Amino acid sequence: MNNRSENLEHHLDRHLVEELAQVARETVRDELREQTRRQRRTAMLYAASGAVALYAGGAVALAVGLALASGLPGWAAALLTAALLGAVAYGLRGAAHNRHTAHTPHRVVGGAAPAAPPTGLGMPYPPMPQTPPDVPHHRA
């Protein structure tokens, strides 16, 4: 009788664990679906913003070209506008490149870990223990 009740208990426990796992999977799936929907919407808005900014830039370039064309031949105004846009693009690329290379490394070779994370956000690193943790050598 005792063996039968243990077997029934084991079966009920396993069934409960399976149900809980199923509920957890569904909850996580629903949450991920909602996050994906929000991120997709944000990405679409960024893409639309970029497309509108591209057209706005084209309109500004056209306006600059037309303003220059009032005093210069059309081909010279277009060439000068293209050179101006090229210089702006090169300057922006240089600004992005300098920002990227000025990044401090996250690791110091041969040195100690910094007192706080490199981003400056969050809590400082926990202190290093004097002795390694005791790890059991058996497998569970």
Side-chain angles (χ1 to χ4, degrees):
M1 177 86 176
N2 192 15
N3 190 21
R4 185 176 169 98
S5 67
E6 286 178 11
N7 194 14
L8 181 63
E9 236 178 79
H10 176 70
H11 178 70
L12 289 174
D13 286 346
R14 191 174 63 188
H15 184 68
L16 180 62
V17 167
E18 288 173 4
E19 277 190 53
L20 287 173
Q22 181 65 28
V23 168
R25 278 193 294 271
E26 289 173 4
T27 304
V28 168
R29 187 179 303 126
D30 291 343
E31 181 63 28
L32 287 175
R33 187 174 293 129
E34 181 63 30
Q35 286 179 4
T36 303
R37 186 177 301 126
R38 277 185 261 136
Q39 289 174 351
R40 188 179 308 132
R41 181 178 182 275
T42 302
M44 286 175 35
L45 289 173
Y46 274 121
S49 170
V52 170
L54 183 65
Y55 281 110
V60 168
L62 180 64
V64 167
L66 289 174
L68 289 173
S70 65
L72 297 171
W75 65 269
L79 187 62
L80 196 55
T81 303
L84 180 66
L85 289 174
V88 169
Y90 186 76
L92 290 172
R93 180 191 167 276
H97 184 68
N98 286 343
R99 185 175 303 145
H100 179 68
T101 57
H103 183 68
T104 58
H106 291 274
R107 296 184 192 179
V108 178
V109 177
T119 60
L121 302 174
M123 297 293 292
Y125 293 121
M128 185 69 127
Q130 295 297 325
T131 59
D134 185 30
V135 179
H137 295 288
H138 68 280
R139 291 188 173 185

